[in-house]
Amino acid sequence: MSLYVMKFGGSSVGDTERMKRVAKRIVEKQDEGHQCVVVVSAMGDTTDDLIDQAKLLNPNPPAREMDMLMTTGEQISIALLSMAIHDLGRSAVSLTGWQAGFRTEPVHGKARITDISPERVMSALNENHIVIVAGFQGMTEDGEITTLGRGGSDTTAVALAAAIKADVCEIYTDVDGIYSTDPRIVKCARKLAEISYDEMLELANLGAAVLHPRAVEYAKHHNVQLVVRSSFNYNEGTAVKEETSVEQGVVVSGIAYDKNVARISILGVEDVPGVLAQVFGALAEAQINVDIIVQSGVQDGKADFSFTTSLAECDLALEVIQGLRSKLPYRDVTSERDLVKVSIVGAGMISHPGVAAQMFDVISQQGVSIKMVSTSEIKTSCVIENGNLEQVVRALHTAYNLDTDAQVYVGGPQVRR
Amino acid sequence: MSLYVMKFGGSSVGDTERMKRVAKRIVEKQDEGHQCVVVVSAMGDTTDDLIDQAKLLNPNPPAREMDMLMTTGEQISIALLSMAIHDLGRSAVSLTGWQAGFRTEPVHGKARITDISPERVMSALNENHIVIVAGFQGMTEDGEITTLGRGGSDTTAVALAAAIKADVCEIYTDVDGIYSTDPRIVKCARKLAEISYDEMLELANLGAAVLHPRAVEYAKHHNVQLVVRSSFNYNEGTAVKEETSVEQGVVVSGIAYDKNVARISILGVEDVPGVLAQVFGALAEAQINVDIIVQSGVQDGKADFSFTTSLAECDLALEVIQGLRSKLPYRDVTSERDLVKVSIVGAGMISHPGVAAQMFDVISQQGVSIKMVSTSEIKTSCVIENGNLEQVVRALHTAYNLDTDAQVYVGGPQVRR
């Protein structure tokens, strides 16, 4: 007998039929002799519908009241899923976030979990109930209802799995697992049997954003074994864990890309100490996320440097830079918007020199010039022009022996909270 | 400065526009210098929609999970109403039943309030917030979410008003107040300026069932002054309180009727001690509500007696009586279904002899024969044939000087929980 945490996202419980299918799936797990704790998100469009209603009453609703409103979405899901399980002749108990013992910071809309007291979950399990917990929500010490923000329900599942020492935390979604790259671009993308936490973190933005980075970090930190699999079929998913058995010849596990990249270059800046701190301090203050930073060599006491941001934040970043001109003289500022970032990720890269060089070679063979490069121990990223993205991803996929004959991808991108 | 509890039913917050109107109403009350605690029901059809969803998954859902589901309806209302108040530039805090300190019996679907700990309501009031409390719900000692069942949100409002020692508990609804009789039958029905708890209890089933008897009982027991008024206009409503100033010449305050009356007669029963206890004990065990009971004189050691039930329970009652035949021999059992009950209610009846006699006289003048009579200190009820109900109600309304020239009735029957 193992203890499973099974997490189902909003699209997996999007309507009555899907809800019934999920109930059946859970009962089957129990029939195999396992204990089941289920974490569930709000049904399909519920969250958006609630937001629409709120906006009609207040274009800028207070975060506390939004949490009060939004948490009803998961409460509806847990009650209905419990009823569906009862209809199959099994006993289930639904618990809201606060009932399941989730304590959070006193922050609304994006609280972090501070503590989990899973006594009620455990005692319900010990009475042979299937336990159904509302994802995405918790309560402060003062009894205020909070939501966890980005990656919410995945984080609920992983944190609960850690707290109750579950054997496995299964994330059910609408794709079969983690792919070597986005199957919408590369038809012969392969589903990975397993992947390390670090690789998963790097790939987290790959394709359909199957797992939220925050949940992966939590899993890594608490050593919770994750399995990502489909709620629509019985295919084996992808295991995400600390150590993975590196396949023969597989140095790169996956290829990720980001289509919304802008580059900003500041040219002819006086090269005095503290220049970079001043620029990136001002950008951070404006809540702008900066990704890759490259500084060129200094000439005549002047330096050029470039950085990338998301396309959406490019204009704001330019404003911030222009605002600095009086304090920090520079010759010119330029921006390029039609860029993408392509990355190869693999734990095996550390022990295989020349992997990055091969990447540059493959990209140049496609007649594409590389604008910026960034490396880490398990990742190499190149910023290139957008027009050639798909061609480059396919070439890299082939070059790193990731192509497969089978085409197993099912479903579209998942709507999630 | 007074402390108000203001309760708004589901139809008063049925859509966005109505929700905004309610928010404005509350802010106006604050502008008059008062403190406001608001109790609100689920919006319009929310409750029915949730029930429909549940039935699709489980035709017989567990009561615990139904409570988990249904309580989201009020939670949505309180969050949205709070947002609407914030949009008007005021500060409001929404609280679920458990947050507001409502403790109940460990019963699902129809729990009774055992205790209210209103500390959180009071501290929010003292910080100058408008406090918005979810009606109809509470929590057991073990942290289980419960609902209050029939009369739920009215009872929440009255109980909270008692707990926080509010000056007035206003029940906002879609009619202007309590009427002398159903304005759909008698166009010249008058709105009562005030009425006693006891009269209100007797009239509770009058017209649109404006107040639930359970809430009136609670108000009487804790001496909470109620005002029933419309959420759609600013007319003064009807005050419900202990002592009312009896108007000159007004002995009867109102005329109530019940259209769903059946009479069952058991004929030729052996008149031995315990016969009545046996019959009505069996009916009570079958959850059948019996209203009027009349026993005729004994002849040759045999008695006849009759009782009334609701039309819906008549068949079940007949079954119960037939099941008793072996233990309790009787000659025959008969039933009449096309009956109605008309009642006159008035605290002044005690000190005015002849009021009942006048009622019998008025009814017989309409050519209608009286089948059964029941009296209390402040009420006389007659069971008559259905066909003449409206004519009889109008004649009684005129006879007891209740007719008015103005026609102020607005709106239809209220959907309520």
Side-chain angles (χ1 to χ4, degrees):
Chain A
M1 183 176 80
S2 296
L3 173 52
Y4 276 80
V5 170
M6 306 167 78
K7 183 258 171 179
F8 294 90
S11 67
S12 297
V13 292
D15 57 37
T16 307
E17 283 317 304
R18 290 184 173 196
M19 188 74 89
K20 284 182 177 176
R21 190 156 40 180
V22 166
K24 186 166 160 280
R25 189 89 189 224
I26 296 162
V27 165
E28 286 166 359
K29 184 74 82 183
Q30 199 185 43
D31 282 343
E32 290 167 13
H34 303 300
Q35 288 185 303
C36 304
V37 176
V38 180
V39 172
V40 67
S41 303
M43 293 170 73
D45 301 329
T46 308
T47 303
D48 291 338
D49 292 347
L50 290 172
I51 292 173
D52 289 348
Q53 273 192 293
K55 297 282 178 193
L56 286 174
L57 289 163
N58 190 332
N60 192 21
R64 180 192 183 276
E65 302 303 332
M66 277 306 279
D67 279 358
M68 179 66 83
L69 181 67
M70 304 306 282
T71 49
T72 63
E74 284 79 18
Q75 191 172 330
I76 290 170
S77 286
I78 57 172
L80 292 176
L81 184 55
S82 176
M83 291 174 192
I85 291 173
H86 277 269
D87 196 52
L88 297 175
R90 301 302 167 89
S91 169
V93 171
S94 65
L95 298 173
T96 62
W98 58 269
Q99 288 180 324
F102 279 78
R103 292 291 166 278
T104 76
E105 305 168 327
V107 172
H108 288 290
K110 52 177 182 189
R112 281 176 177 273
I113 299 165
T114 52
D115 183 39
I116 301 175
S117 311
E119 292 78 20
R120 219 161 147 179
V121 173
M122 292 312 295
S123 72
L125 272 180
N126 292 336
E127 290 162 12
N128 294 316
H129 298 299
I130 292 167
V131 184
I132 310 193
V133 176
F136 189 61
Q137 56 183 247
M139 186 175 78
T140 69
E141 245 182 56
D142 294 337
E144 293 281 275
I145 293 173
T146 51
T147 60
L148 304 184
R150 294 194 315 144
S153 286
D154 287 349
T155 307
T156 299
V158 173
L160 190 55
I164 65 175
K165 300 184 174 40
D167 297 288
V168 184
C169 177
E170 292 185 324
I171 308 288
Y172 286 83
T173 178
D174 51 7
V175 293
D176 271 7
I178 309 298
Y179 280 76
S180 57
T181 194
D182 186 346
R184 286 170 299 184
I185 287 189
V186 181
K187 297 292 176 214
C188 55
R190 66 201 289 177
K191 189 182 67 186
L192 306 175
E194 51 184 37
I195 188 170
S196 71
Y197 296 121
D198 288 333
E199 289 174 309
M200 187 64 234
L201 275 173
E202 296 283 6
L203 285 174
N205 294 312
L206 168 71
V210 173
L211 269 182
H212 196 277
R214 194 157 149 183
V216 180
E217 274 173 43
Y218 206 105
K220 176 181 159 72
H221 190 246
H222 294 276
N223 203 21
V224 173
Q225 189 184 323
L226 297 176
V227 174
V228 177
R229 62 191 305 182
S230 170
S231 60
F232 301 112
N233 64 47
Y234 289 83
N235 296 340
E236 281 188 27
T238 300
V240 186
K241 50 191 185 180
E242 191 56 58
E243 294 297 326
T244 62
S245 51
V246 178
E247 282 181 60
Q248 195 67 26
V250 176
V251 179
V252 169
S253 300
I255 298 168
Y257 64 84
D258 179 356
K259 280 187 174 177
N260 295 296
V261 177
R263 178 169 74 157
I264 294 178
S265 299
I266 310 179
L267 308 173
V269 190
E270 188 100 14
D271 182 43
V272 292
V275 166
L276 284 177
Q278 214 174 332
V279 171
F280 294 102
L283 290 167
E285 212 167 284
Q287 307 283 329
I288 295 167
N289 286 305
V290 171
D291 182 17
I292 302 177
I293 301 172
V294 175
Q295 180 170 13
S296 66
V298 180
Q299 230 178 355
D300 303 333
K302 307 273 184 187
D304 297 343
F305 57 91
S306 302
F307 60 89
T308 61
T309 67
S310 71
L311 213 49
E313 293 178 333
C314 180
D315 283 335
L316 182 57
L318 282 172
E319 265 180 49
V320 170
I321 303 297
Q322 272 143 9
L324 286 174
R325 196 155 203 169
S326 57
K327 286 191 288 180
L328 182 83
Y330 54 81
R331 197 182 76 240
D332 200 6
V333 58
T334 63
S335 64
E336 264 182 297
R337 285 158 202 259
D338 204 19
L339 299 175
V340 295
K341 183 177 74 170
V342 60
S343 307
I344 57 171
V345 175
M349 286 168 68
I350 304 169
S351 50
H352 288 74
V355 175
Q358 187 184 1
M359 182 186 193
F360 305 150
D361 192 37
V362 170
I363 294 176
S364 66
Q365 276 169 25
Q366 307 303 313
V368 174
S369 63
I370 296 168
K371 305 257 179 177
M372 292 169 93
V373 172
S374 160
T375 59
S376 78
E377 286 190 338
I378 63 163
K379 184 189 75 168
T380 301
S381 298
C382 295
V383 174
I384 60 173
E385 275 160 13
N386 185 9
N388 305 293
L389 174 66
E390 302 198 0
Q391 177 191 333
V392 167
V393 170
R394 275 189 217 107
L396 289 168
H397 200 265
T398 304
Y400 291 112
N401 300 315
L402 292 169
D403 291 357
T404 177
D405 294 335
Q407 194 198 320
V408 288
Y409 177 71
V410 180
Q414 187 185 20
V415 179
R416 62 186 17 248
R417 296 167 51 163
Chain B
M1 183 176 80
S2 296
L3 173 53
Y4 276 80
V5 170
M6 307 167 79
K7 184 258 169 180
F8 294 90
S11 67
S12 298
V13 291
D15 58 36
T16 307
E17 283 316 304
R18 289 184 174 195
M19 189 74 89
K20 285 182 178 176
R21 192 157 38 181
V22 165
K24 185 166 161 280
R25 189 88 188 226
I26 296 162
V27 165
E28 287 165 358
K29 184 74 78 181
Q30 199 184 41
D31 282 343
E32 290 166 13
H34 303 300
Q35 287 185 305
C36 304
V37 176
V38 180
V39 172
V40 67
S41 302
M43 292 171 75
D45 301 328
T46 307
T47 303
D48 291 338
D49 292 346
L50 290 172
I51 292 173
D52 289 347
Q53 273 193 291
K55 297 282 179 193
L56 285 174
L57 289 163
N58 190 331
N60 192 20
R64 180 192 183 277
E65 302 302 333
M66 278 305 279
D67 279 359
M68 180 66 83
L69 182 67
M70 305 306 283
T71 48
T72 62
E74 283 79 19
Q75 191 172 329
I76 291 170
S77 286
I78 57 172
L80 292 176
L81 183 55
S82 176
M83 291 174 192
I85 291 173
H86 277 268
D87 196 52
L88 297 174
R90 301 302 167 88
S91 168
V93 171
S94 66
L95 298 173
T96 63
W98 58 268
Q99 288 180 323
F102 279 78
R103 291 293 166 276
T104 75
E105 305 169 328
V107 172
H108 288 290
K110 52 178 181 186
R112 281 177 177 272
I113 299 164
T114 52
D115 184 39
I116 301 175
S117 310
E119 293 77 21
R120 219 162 146 179
V121 173
M122 292 313 295
S123 72
L125 272 179
N126 291 336
E127 290 161 12
N128 294 316
H129 298 298
I130 291 167
V131 184
I132 309 191
V133 175
F136 189 60
Q137 56 183 249
M139 186 175 78
T140 70
E141 245 182 56
D142 295 337
E144 293 281 275
I145 294 172
T146 51
T147 60
L148 304 185
R150 295 194 314 143
S153 286
D154 287 350
T155 307
T156 299
V158 173
L160 190 55
I164 65 175
K165 298 185 174 40
D167 297 289
V168 184
C169 177
E170 291 185 325
I171 308 288
Y172 286 83
T173 179
D174 51 7
V175 293
D176 271 7
I178 310 298
Y179 280 77
S180 56
T181 194
D182 186 346
R184 286 170 300 183
I185 289 190
V186 180
K187 297 291 176 215
C188 56
R190 68 200 289 178
K191 189 182 67 188
L192 305 175
E194 51 184 38
I195 188 170
S196 72
Y197 296 121
D198 289 332
E199 288 173 309
M200 187 64 234
L201 275 173
E202 297 284 4
L203 285 174
N205 293 313
L206 169 70
V210 174
L211 269 182
H212 196 277
R214 192 156 151 187
V216 180
E217 274 173 43
Y218 207 105
K220 176 180 158 73
H221 190 244
H222 294 276
N223 202 21
V224 173
Q225 190 185 321
L226 297 176
V227 173
V228 177
R229 62 191 304 182
S230 171
S231 61
F232 301 111
N233 64 46
Y234 290 83
N235 296 340
E236 281 189 27
T238 300
V240 187
K241 51 192 184 179
E242 191 55 60
E243 294 296 325
T244 62
S245 51
V246 177
E247 281 181 59
Q248 195 67 24
V250 176
V251 179
V252 170
S253 300
I255 296 167
Y257 64 83
D258 179 356
K259 280 188 174 178
N260 295 297
V261 178
R263 178 170 75 158
I264 294 176
S265 298
I266 309 178
L267 307 174
V269 190
E270 189 100 12
D271 183 42
V272 292
V275 165
L276 284 177
Q278 214 174 330
V279 170
F280 294 102
L283 290 167
E285 212 167 283
Q287 306 283 330
I288 295 165
N289 286 305
V290 170
D291 182 19
I292 303 176
I293 301 170
V294 176
Q295 179 169 14
S296 66
V298 181
Q299 228 176 356
D300 303 333
K302 307 272 184 186
D304 298 342
F305 57 90
S306 303
F307 60 89
T308 61
T309 67
S310 71
L311 213 47
E313 292 178 333
C314 180
D315 284 335
L316 182 57
L318 282 172
E319 266 179 50
V320 170
I321 303 297
Q322 272 142 11
L324 286 174
R325 196 157 202 168
S326 57
K327 287 190 288 181
L328 182 84
Y330 55 79
R331 197 182 76 240
D332 200 6
V333 58
T334 62
S335 65
E336 263 182 297
R337 285 159 202 260
D338 204 21
L339 300 175
V340 296
K341 183 176 75 169
V342 61
S343 306
I344 57 171
V345 175
M349 286 168 70
I350 303 170
S351 50
H352 288 75
V355 175
Q358 187 184 1
M359 183 186 192
F360 306 149
D361 192 37
V362 170
I363 293 175
S364 65
Q365 275 170 25
Q366 307 303 314
V368 173
S369 64
I370 296 168
K371 305 258 177 176
M372 292 170 94
V373 172
S374 160
T375 59
S376 78
E377 285 189 337
I378 63 162
K379 184 189 76 169
T380 302
S381 297
C382 296
V383 174
I384 61 174
E385 275 160 12
N386 185 10
N388 305 294
L389 174 67
E390 303 198 359
Q391 176 192 333
V392 167
V393 170
R394 276 189 216 105
L396 288 169
H397 201 264
T398 304
Y400 290 111
N401 300 316
L402 292 169
D403 292 356
T404 177
D405 294 336
Q407 193 200 320
V408 288
Y409 177 72
V410 180
Q414 188 184 18
V415 178
R416 63 184 18 247
R417 293 165 54 162

